[in-house]
Amino acid sequence: MLGEGILKGLGETARNFVGSYVSAERLTTVQYPEERAPEIEATRDFPFLVYDGTDGEAGLRCVACQICEKECPPKCIYIVKSTDKKPDAFGKPQIYPTRFDIDISVCMSCQICVEVCPFEAIKMDTEFELSTTDRFGGLLYDRKELSKSNEYYHKIHPTEAAEVDARLAEEKVKADAKAKAAAAAAAAKAAAVPAQAPAHITPKPPVTAVEGDKQG
Ligand code: SF4
Ligand code: SF4
């Protein structure tokens, strides 16, 4: 029938319109801030830096490689890398960012920084109550403000955080096995070298002909 599709479409719209007033799961408006809509795991707004353990300084995963800074389209990440190394959460000496700022007034929440980070060190936050009267300083977040624990990451993105943990654990097993194999190879190589004279025995210099005459 001519116009049947239009009538069906209008019927669907009417059903949705009425349903949005009577069906509890479709009432999308809440009396914010007294009421809050349930959090959705896929929500994202601005990035934060993940740290392992309880120390936000020592446990920071970021090694200041600056890939995110280079790839950020509006260039709102500012990193200064350290000139020394500090042990990370697993005791491995690492370069770290002495400065890591994100200007969230410029950030466009594209998540590219998250996707390019090889160390699972930067993730998207869901915190949205960030209004401030300070347009500049108040929206320039430094390393301390950006650092949040892995537990927090699990709380806001449980599925994604569990996948990341599994991936990191797998990588650690591979890295440990590689280090063990390298150590075993080095030990085998050392064992194959012929025994040398102990360092404390200094060989006597050869006696020259002149010295030999003097002695005679
Ligand atoms: S989310 Fe996008 S714009 Fe924001 S800091 Fe990351 S790369 Fe830059
Ligand atoms: S957050 Fe990731 S990509 Fe950015 S500097 Fe740190 S380790 Fe590198």
Side-chain angles (χ1 to χ4, degrees):
M1 189 183 86
L2 188 66
E4 189 184 348
I6 294 173
L7 288 174
K8 270 191 185 163
L10 287 173
E12 186 65 22
T13 304
R15 197 175 66 78
N16 280 319
F17 177 72
V18 175
S20 68
Y21 281 92
V22 294
S23 166
E25 66 273 13
R26 300 185 58 194
L27 296 174
T28 52
T29 308
V30 294
Q31 297 299 316
Y32 177 85
E34 290 80 17
E35 290 175 32
R36 286 170 185 257
E39 287 187 9
I40 299 167
E41 196 177 340
T43 305
R44 71 174 197 228
D45 44 35
F46 303 111
F48 70 98
L49 296 173
V50 186
Y51 66 82
D52 293 303
T54 51
D55 186 343
E57 282 279 318
L60 211 59
R61 289 182 186 170
C62 176
V63 297
C65 69
Q66 295 178 292
I67 294 174
C68 57
E69 185 184 40
K70 286 190 194 88
E71 297 297 327
C72 172
K75 303 287 175 218
C76 62
I77 301 179
Y78 312 100
I79 299 171
V80 177
K81 64 160 73 176
S82 66
T83 49
D84 61 331
K85 287 185 177 183
K86 276 203 300 203
D88 63 11
F90 306 101
K92 193 175 169 194
Q94 296 282 14
I95 299 280
Y96 59 95
T98 54
R99 182 181 168 193
F100 196 121
D101 298 342
I102 297 181
D103 187 344
I104 63 159
S105 72
V106 176
C107 173
M108 56 187 199
S109 306
C110 65
Q111 198 174 278
I112 287 174
C113 51
V114 174
E115 277 155 28
V116 297
C117 176
F119 299 94
E120 309 286 1
I122 188 165
K123 299 293 169 189
M124 297 307 279
D125 208 342
T126 55
E127 175 61 60
F128 60 90
E129 291 167 315
L130 305 168
S131 55
T132 172
T133 51
D134 182 2
R135 155 73 180 79
F136 297 102
L139 295 174
L140 185 67
Y141 282 20
D142 64 17
R143 191 185 59 173
K144 209 169 169 193
E145 290 164 299
L146 292 169
S147 299
K148 296 190 177 178
S149 67
N150 193 30
E151 280 72 37
Y152 173 79
Y153 179 36
H154 273 266
K155 193 169 146 247
I156 60 168
H157 299 303
T159 313
E160 185 189 294
E163 282 167 10
V164 168
D165 275 5
R167 200 156 53 237
L168 290 176
E170 199 180 315
E171 279 168 19
K172 187 165 185 320
V173 168
K174 279 187 197 160
D176 287 351
K178 203 172 161 190
K180 224 169 161 181
K189 198 173 167 190
V193 174
Q196 307 232 331
H200 64 278
I201 300 174
T202 314
K204 281 186 182 174
V207 178
T208 60
V210 177
E211 281 171 343
D213 293 347
K214 277 184 197 162
Q215 283 166 14

